Amino acid sequence: MQDIQRFERSLKDFEYFRDFQSFLDPKSNSRKVAEVKKTHPRFNPLTDLNEHKFRLKYRYTKENLRRIIEIVRDDLEIEYFEPLKREQVPIDLQILSAIRLWGGTEHPKLTAMAHGVSLRTLAKITRRVASVLSSKASRYIRMPATLSEKERMMCSFQAIANMPQVIGALLQTTVRFQPENSATEDLDGEVRSPAFTKEEELHLQIVCDAAHKIRDLDIRLIEENAMLTDTEMFGLSKIRERFEQNEFRGRILLGNEMVRCSSSLFTPVRFPRNQSEELYNHAHSVTYASARKCLNLLMSRFGILGTEIQGSHGSAKQTITALSILHNMAMEWADPSIDTEQNISPFNSTFFNSIGRAPKSGEDNNRRQFIKTHFASQ
């Protein structure tokens, strides 16, 4: 009896293999392939995955990703790339595949396979989605403009550790990207990197609020022959110019030890000499933790920022801008798909990559007067 059952199982295995072999040969069984395509619709993660698996792969809840799709859909439909038309990639699936790729939870080839597209098509999709999202930067990434907005932001920072007049926390890091001319494509359209690739880096400077939303973004190419320090990079940014023009009227940014203290950017006192300076340093560290947490959440949600972005300098800038907008949406909607309660030590001020060494300590009269006014009597 056992021999008969074993024979029946072997016969079924042979039949499965024969069916699979014929499926792989479209010339001999094109009708069956067409039937399979008709009876097996394209994978739709919004309906085919449960909520838990969806959040792991797409870094958002289903509800919030539907909101993102509605925000981007119309702009994507205006210019529908011809290759995407031929492959019949729905707009919804384009947005989903791009966000899943940016999440960095798997190899890009697996992301492409999951959505039924080639790697080359996936690369075109992500560039297009990034371009559309980045065009909305002025709406989703902006410093407070009205007096009431500025007051609300200062109050939210002061509520953390009683640090007054703060309107933003500034943090800098680097992101790697591989220019397009360093990559090659095989006959199947798969993007392959040569043995020796020329990686380049972008300097990323963000200003965030107490709710971990990005309020200002500055992205610059790091030149090999001109390695500027974080202080020099800040000096080139538009946000510094806006403070020098007194747009924010006496309000300040908080920075770490890697930038030089100035009238608009307050850093910790490197060698505190009295209790007032120690109290200031403590309030600064606790308040500044919002910047480290903001960047940590951004890079946790979008793992591609910690590896390497494929594309040109301009394309990489658009991708980073797009991810910053998506991050702000997640903060605005309190999306729970990643751990927003990550333990970021307020005293770890060198957690992220920076350029150059800490600048020499230099007393700043504005900071000294600020400490005397707000921390001497505590």
Side-chain angles (χ1 to χ4, degrees):
M1 187 66 180
Q2 291 180 351
D3 292 339
I4 295 175
Q5 292 176 344
R6 190 178 298 113
F7 175 76
E8 289 177 346
R9 286 197 300 269
S10 300
L11 186 60
K12 286 184 179 180
D13 289 341
F14 174 74
E15 291 175 351
Y16 293 152
F17 175 75
R18 186 179 59 187
D19 292 341
F20 178 71
Q21 193 175 36
S22 64
F23 176 79
L24 292 178
D25 187 5
K27 293 181 180 179
S28 63
N29 205 356
S30 58
R31 182 177 298 177
K32 181 175 290 188
V33 173
E35 291 176 356
V36 169
K37 287 184 177 180
K38 288 181 180 179
T39 57
H40 290 76
R42 188 188 289 270
F43 169 68
N44 184 350
L46 287 168
T47 57
D48 297 341
L49 293 180
N50 62 39
E51 185 69 27
H52 175 69
K53 290 183 178 179
F54 185 88
R55 293 183 186 186
L56 290 177
K57 292 295 184 182
Y58 294 91
R59 323 305 284 159
Y60 288 88
T61 64
K62 289 184 179 182
E63 177 186 357
N64 285 338
L65 229 163
R66 287 190 179 99
R67 296 168 77 174
I68 294 172
I69 290 171
E70 291 307 312
I71 291 171
V72 180
R73 182 198 303 277
D74 290 344
D75 294 315
L76 276 178
E77 287 178 343
I78 291 175
E79 186 179 344
Y80 199 176
F81 279 148
E82 192 63 32
L84 305 185
K85 287 181 181 178
R86 290 198 299 268
E87 293 201 27
Q88 297 180 343
V89 185
I91 296 293
D92 294 15
L93 208 60
Q94 292 182 45
I95 301 168
L96 286 163
S97 61
I99 291 178
R100 180 161 169 173
L101 175 70
W102 292 330
T105 60
E106 61 192 6
H107 192 279
K109 190 170 185 179
L110 295 177
T111 304
M113 290 173 60
H115 297 85
V117 298
S118 65
L119 271 177
R120 180 169 53 185
T121 299
L122 180 61
K124 292 178 180 179
I125 289 173
T126 53
R127 285 197 296 269
R128 178 58 180 155
V129 175
S131 175
V132 169
L133 277 168
S134 63
S135 68
K136 302 178 183 296
S138 60
R139 175 182 174 185
Y140 291 97
I141 303 176
R142 63 181 187 87
M143 291 292 287
T146 65
L147 179 61
S148 60
E149 287 178 340
K150 294 173 183 177
E151 291 296 325
R152 281 198 301 270
M153 190 171 295
M154 287 194 303
C155 289
S156 63
F157 273 112
Q158 189 165 0
I160 298 175
N162 201 29
M163 174 76 81
Q165 298 179 214
V166 179
I167 200 171
L170 180 142
L171 187 60
Q172 299 166 321
T173 188
T174 57
V175 176
R176 292 179 298 164
F177 75 99
Q178 179 182 303
E180 290 175 322
N181 58 8
S182 297
T184 60
E185 291 184 358
D186 62 14
L187 296 177
D188 297 326
E190 180 175 343
V191 180
R192 299 185 183 278
S193 299
F196 299 96
T197 60
K198 181 185 177 183
E199 291 183 353
E200 297 191 45
E201 286 188 320
L202 292 171
H203 179 267
L204 174 62
Q205 174 182 285
I206 65 172
V207 174
C208 74
D209 61 20
H212 313 117
K213 292 176 67 175
I214 297 172
R215 292 290 185 163
D216 186 79
L217 181 65
D218 187 88
I219 308 170
R220 295 179 183 274
L221 180 66
I222 300 176
E223 303 287 349
E224 292 183 1
N225 57 350
M227 290 292 291
L228 302 179
T229 65
D230 284 356
T231 299
E232 291 168 325
M233 286 293 192
F234 173 68
L236 296 174
S237 63
K238 291 183 179 179
I239 192 66
R240 173 183 174 272
E241 182 179 345
R242 293 173 67 182
F243 271 92
E244 284 191 346
Q245 293 174 352
N246 204 26
E247 180 179 338
F248 301 103
R249 296 187 181 279
R251 299 170 181 88
I252 60 172
L253 294 172
L254 296 184
N256 61 16
E257 297 93 336
M258 300 306 296
V259 291
R260 188 181 298 278
C261 183
S262 67
S263 59
S264 59
L265 180 64
F266 283 15
T267 61
V269 176
R270 184 168 292 274
F271 302 107
R273 296 167 296 183
N274 51 55
Q275 186 181 16
S276 297
E277 292 181 347
E278 289 177 355
L279 289 170
Y280 163 83
N281 274 1
H282 176 77
H284 184 290
S285 296
V286 175
T287 308
Y288 186 73
S290 60
R292 289 189 292 273
K293 185 170 183 178
C294 174
L295 188 54
N296 188 281
L297 291 173
L298 173 68
M299 301 188 77
S300 296
R301 191 178 299 274
F302 302 112
I304 192 173
L305 292 174
T307 55
E308 180 183 81
I309 298 175
Q310 297 284 341
S312 64
H313 169 217
S315 175
K317 287 183 66 173
Q318 286 185 339
T319 299
I320 295 172
T321 304
L323 299 185
S324 300
I325 292 172
L326 290 171
H327 165 83
N328 282 356
M329 291 177 180
M331 296 296 101
E332 179 71 24
W333 303 332
D335 189 279
S337 300
I338 64 170
D339 181 14
T340 57
E341 299 302 325
Q342 300 175 63
N343 184 21
I344 309 296
S345 171
F347 304 102
N348 181 11
S349 57
T350 57
F351 186 79
F352 299 103
N353 295 332
S354 296
I355 301 176
R357 298 179 179 177
K360 295 181 180 179
S361 176
E363 283 297 330
D364 180 81
N365 291 331
N366 295 82
R367 184 180 63 182
R368 188 186 301 115
Q369 185 61 43
F370 179 86
I371 294 174
K372 182 178 180 181
T373 302
H374 299 286
F375 293 94
S377 59
Q378 296 187 19

